Amino acid sequence: MPERRSAVRLADVAERAGVSIATASRSLSGSSGVSVRVADHVRTVALALGYVVNPHARSLAGGATASVGLIVHEIGDPYFSEIASGVLRVAAREGMTAQICHSGRDPQTELTQIRTLVAHRIGGIIVAGSGWVDPRVQADAKAELLSFRRSGGRVAVIGRHHVAVDAVLPDNQAGARSVAEHVLAQGHRRIAIAAGSRRLTTIADRLAGIDDVLRARGRTLDEVPVVEADFTRDGGKEAAARILAEHGDATAILALNDAMAIGVLSTLRSAGVDVPGQVSVTGFDDVPVAEDLAPGLTTVRLPMARMGELAMTLALKAPAARPRRQTTGHTLVVRDSTGPARR
Amino acid sequence: MPERRSAVRLADVAERAGVSIATASRSLSGSSGVSVRVADHVRTVALALGYVVNPHARSLAGGATASVGLIVHEIGDPYFSEIASGVLRVAAREGMTAQICHSGRDPQTELTQIRTLVAHRIGGIIVAGSGWVDPRVQADAKAELLSFRRSGGRVAVIGRHHVAVDAVLPDNQAGARSVAEHVLAQGHRRIAIAAGSRRLTTIADRLAGIDDVLRARGRTLDEVPVVEADFTRDGGKEAAARILAEHGDATAILALNDAMAIGVLSTLRSAGVDVPGQVSVTGFDDVPVAEDLAPGLTTVRLPMARMGELAMTLALKAPAARPRRQTTGHTLVVRDSTGPARR
DNA sequence: GTGAAAGCGCTAACAC
DNA sequence: GTGTTAGCGCTTTCAC
């Protein structure tokens, strides 16, 4: 590679300010042991010279790294791009950079990504996306994350994971209760569920919320068909097709995220099933387009961008003695995809 | 920061392999001047030890950086998250990391982001998102990009920019011709356009395509109302409201991206205007939800994820003597939001 | 409170 | 073809 533009270095700032390189470093990195007068002067000079620290040199010398890694299942999924948006907003505000990578909802890939980020001496890691019900699935990732944190790295997760780190917890169970209440209150008794893999904590928690509501009415989740498929639009289409074929008497389909709900609506439309006339449909997350579907999707709003901001904020803070947990809250958004049971 | 886990260093690999640190470096970074036997051996040892290069040390020593920066307007926008998805896919395949940052469709912020990436000694920069019709708006960014490239950095842009670097060019003008042809062929004569800022090349090019079609029929763009608003869903709502108020006789609204089209559909629905019965609506981009709207949106498909992959591939290649330009092609996707003119 | 100097882990001349 | 060595720009003891 050809020579890089000779940037202004710390030594230049030090010389121009008439101080030693050590003093300049201390002034700029905000460590103590410099008189305020000198520190201010150095900062002024640095600004005038347009000095920007070389993060590689800083990291190599053992300084702090102003970068975080964000691991999402797939950035093209609106749920994750909203979260990423929140993370990037805070990152920009704090002068940090963010590396984003895909896990593809695959524990092995996730592990690889974590290892890469650690090897790159990243300052913090945010894992967005559901954990796994079986702790063993993410045991290696957990070990890696913990060892990273022990060595000074910051860690935050979004979603329920079996690892004792700061976490942003989406209101999955309570949200599911809200939407299930709503559907049952409309008189629906024969419901079906379009779910992603039950091995994900997100699914488990949302199912648990539905179960809560059912039990309050003397029923249980075991009585209702839970059709598992990909946690995507196509998975929703597939699930709806199976529900139509095997549980054609269902009057409501609860999809466990909006992507699946969109697929469900698509299949229902193709099959000529009126929503909500014949079948009511609900989603979860309230991705931006949910209100623009026709019918508008009844769903549970999770503050995705805010969750990203929170996670980033947690990852910025010095680690607490015990892991912080922040719950997000949720809002039931009733639109036109649900209506009273007619059968 | 506490001590980092003592990672295995190049020296460890060299010692274990019984070679000098220089030979080890050469073997691992794939530079020539090492016998194949030795290089293979070193690589085996490195693998066994779980060695991962310290990118900071490598960069500081003047080696190549395996990271690219991607600048998007807003990652929450499906157009950009699809592009990002393509970029990340290629990045992962090539063992590179990607830093993503927001420009917020603001030239000043974009400039700042470029400067940050350069200061961080990033290996390459991909600018996604429209350029500006007025070259002066991005003059500083252009200078920065060029200087970055001169010093060995790789650069690729997505969209038409006034800078001589590798580019992925969305089929804006031809795509707009396709959709305009389609609408006019349906008998619509009084059309209106919901556009983003004409200062963006994307808008200018799409308008130019519509103009082409109009001129072929002895008309021009000057006769049709072009309502400018934010290049977002809300902008689409606003534009539609103004079109309804000021050009209520229009039988077709061409929105210049899907986000705006979604807003247009929303406003029309609220106003009780039947689509496509009374008014036909078209979008541009074919974001994933376009087909799930009701009515399904007639639009122009751009291969967004593929565009991200292409840009990343360009940014990976050694710079050519003259800038490469890749056009994307497009597909007119006719759904239910367009129909014959009835008035 | 400030400065001198020893590295951090790696690449790239430059010797051999 | 392989080894020796001088930095890359910064932080951080350790003296003063």
Side-chain angles (χ1 to χ4, degrees):
Chain A
M1 169 151 28
E3 92 296 352
R4 268 292 145 86
R5 188 192 53 177
S6 71
V8 15
R9 304 180 319 284
L10 183 58
D12 303 325
V13 177
E15 188 187 10
R16 184 69 156 270
V19 299
S20 77
I21 197 174
T23 301
S25 169
R26 283 191 272 255
S27 311
L28 262 17
S29 59
S31 37
S32 57
V34 203
S35 66
V36 183
R37 284 182 53 83
V38 174
D40 272 348
H41 179 224
V42 170
R43 274 191 287 267
T44 311
V45 171
L47 200 63
L49 259 40
Y51 171 76
V52 182
V53 64
N54 180 331
H56 299 302
R58 170 173 285 184
S59 163
L60 193 55
T65 317
S67 66
V68 298
L70 170 66
I71 301 179
V72 299
H73 286 334
E74 162 62 53
I75 195 67
D77 179 330
Y79 178 77
F80 293 109
S81 64
E82 286 287 319
I83 287 177
S85 181
V87 169
L88 290 189
R89 211 168 307 153
V90 176
R93 200 177 63 209
E94 303 292 330
M96 314 215 23
T97 61
Q99 283 182 26
I100 302 188
C101 41
H102 281 164
S103 74
R105 219 168 241 128
D106 170 49
Q108 195 54 48
T109 307
E110 182 179 296
L111 178 63
T112 306
Q113 300 290 20
I114 293 175
R115 291 208 168 124
T116 305
L117 291 171
V118 172
H120 285 220
R121 311 299 194 277
I122 200 122
I125 298 179
I126 298 175
V127 179
S130 180
W132 300 78
V133 173
D134 182 348
R136 287 169 300 184
V137 173
Q138 284 179 303
D140 291 340
K142 170 181 175 175
E144 205 70 46
L145 250 21
L146 254 20
S147 123
F148 172 67
R149 209 185 48 152
R150 258 196 310 278
S151 63
R154 310 259 192 270
V155 178
V157 299
I158 298 177
R160 186 160 67 81
H161 289 73
H162 301 283
V163 53
V165 296
D166 290 348
V168 175
L169 297 172
D171 224 0
N172 287 326
Q173 192 161 347
R177 276 197 294 265
S178 297
V179 73
E181 289 281 13
H182 165 72
V183 168
L184 294 186
Q186 299 269 39
H188 295 277
R189 292 199 48 80
R190 291 183 306 283
I191 65 177
I193 297 174
S197 168
R198 297 175 98 127
R199 300 172 60 215
L200 298 170
T201 57
T202 299
I203 302 296
D205 294 348
R206 294 180 183 178
L207 286 176
I210 299 174
D211 189 45
D212 290 344
V213 173
L214 253 15
R215 283 180 188 275
R217 307 194 173 212
R219 302 174 58 190
T220 87
L221 192 60
D222 296 333
E223 308 166 11
V224 331
V226 176
V227 177
E228 286 182 52
D230 265 5
F231 208 28
T232 60
R233 174 182 186 281
D234 286 347
K237 292 185 67 164
E238 182 194 330
R242 274 161 53 198
I243 289 170
L244 247 28
E246 300 163 19
H247 312 280
D249 60 344
T251 64
I253 300 179
L254 278 58
L256 295 195
N257 72 358
D258 287 351
M260 288 196 92
I262 290 170
V264 168
L265 288 176
S266 167
T267 293
L268 258 27
R269 188 178 319 130
S270 311
V273 177
D274 182 55
V275 176
Q278 294 171 266
V279 173
S280 285
V281 174
T282 65
F284 208 113
D285 293 342
D286 197 29
V287 298
V289 296
E291 69 173 307
D292 296 306
L293 302 168
L297 185 64
T298 292
T299 187
V300 175
R301 177 174 303 161
L302 248 30
M304 279 100 70
R306 176 84 192 122
M307 284 155 55
E309 293 179 359
L310 280 175
M312 185 67 189
T313 307
L314 285 175
L316 248 37
K317 285 185 186 158
R322 48 170 46 229
R324 288 172 279 245
R325 336 218 114 226
Q326 305 214 342
T327 336
T328 59
H330 71 274
T331 317
L332 175 68
V333 182
V334 177
R335 300 203 180 92
D336 311 319
S337 67
T338 47
R342 301 250 179 85
R343 291 186 267 181
Chain B
M1 171 151 25
E3 92 295 353
R4 268 291 145 84
R5 189 192 53 179
S6 70
V8 16
R9 304 180 320 281
L10 183 59
D12 302 326
V13 177
E15 187 188 12
R16 185 68 158 270
V19 299
S20 77
I21 193 174
T23 300
S25 170
R26 284 191 273 256
S27 309
L28 262 17
S29 60
S31 39
S32 59
V34 203
S35 69
V36 184
R37 283 181 53 82
V38 174
D40 273 348
H41 179 223
V42 171
R43 275 191 285 267
T44 310
V45 170
L47 199 64
L49 258 40
Y51 170 76
V52 182
V53 65
N54 180 330
H56 300 301
R58 170 174 284 182
S59 163
L60 193 56
T65 317
S67 65
V68 299
L70 170 66
I71 301 179
V72 299
H73 287 334
E74 162 62 54
I75 194 69
D77 180 331
Y79 177 78
F80 294 109
S81 65
E82 286 286 319
I83 288 177
S85 181
V87 169
L88 291 188
R89 209 168 308 154
V90 176
R93 200 178 62 210
E94 302 294 330
M96 313 213 27
T97 62
Q99 283 182 23
I100 303 187
C101 39
H102 282 165
S103 74
R105 221 168 241 127
D106 169 49
Q108 195 52 47
T109 307
E110 182 177 297
L111 178 62
T112 306
Q113 300 290 19
I114 293 175
R115 290 207 168 125
T116 305
L117 292 171
V118 172
H120 285 239
R121 311 300 194 277
I122 199 116
I125 297 179
I126 298 175
V127 179
S130 180
W132 300 78
V133 172
D134 182 349
R136 287 169 302 185
V137 173
Q138 283 179 304
D140 290 340
K142 171 181 175 174
E144 205 70 45
L145 249 20
L146 255 20
S147 123
F148 173 67
R149 209 185 48 153
R150 259 196 309 280
S151 63
R154 310 258 192 272
V155 178
V157 298
I158 298 177
R160 185 159 68 81
H161 289 72
H162 301 283
V163 52
V165 296
D166 291 348
V168 175
L169 297 172
D171 225 359
N172 287 325
Q173 191 160 348
R177 277 198 295 267
S178 297
V179 74
E181 289 280 14
H182 165 71
V183 169
L184 294 185
Q186 299 268 40
H188 296 277
R189 292 197 49 77
R190 292 184 304 284
I191 66 177
I193 297 175
S197 168
R198 297 174 102 126
R199 301 171 61 214
L200 298 170
T201 57
T202 300
I203 301 295
D205 294 349
R206 292 179 184 179
L207 286 175
I210 298 174
D211 189 45
D212 290 344
V213 173
L214 254 14
R215 284 180 188 276
R217 306 194 174 211
R219 303 174 57 190
T220 87
L221 193 60
D222 297 332
E223 311 166 11
V224 329
V226 176
V227 177
E228 286 182 52
D230 264 7
F231 208 27
T232 60
R233 175 182 185 281
D234 286 346
K237 292 185 68 164
E238 181 195 330
R242 274 159 55 197
I243 290 170
L244 246 28
E246 299 162 20
H247 312 280
D249 60 344
T251 64
I253 299 179
L254 277 57
L256 295 195
N257 73 359
D258 287 351
M260 287 197 92
I262 290 170
V264 169
L265 288 176
S266 168
T267 293
L268 259 26
R269 190 178 318 130
S270 311
V273 177
D274 183 56
V275 177
Q278 295 170 263
V279 173
S280 284
V281 174
T282 66
F284 208 113
D285 293 342
D286 197 29
V287 298
V289 297
E291 68 173 308
D292 296 307
L293 302 168
L297 185 64
T298 292
T299 188
V300 176
R301 176 174 302 162
L302 248 31
M304 279 101 69
R306 177 83 191 123
M307 284 155 55
E309 294 180 0
L310 281 174
M312 184 67 190
T313 308
L314 286 174
L316 248 37
K317 285 186 187 159
R322 47 169 48 226
R324 287 171 281 243
R325 336 218 114 227
Q326 304 215 344
T327 335
T328 60
H330 71 273
T331 318
L332 175 68
V333 182
V334 178
R335 300 203 178 92
D336 311 320
S337 67
T338 47
R342 299 250 178 85
R343 292 187 266 183

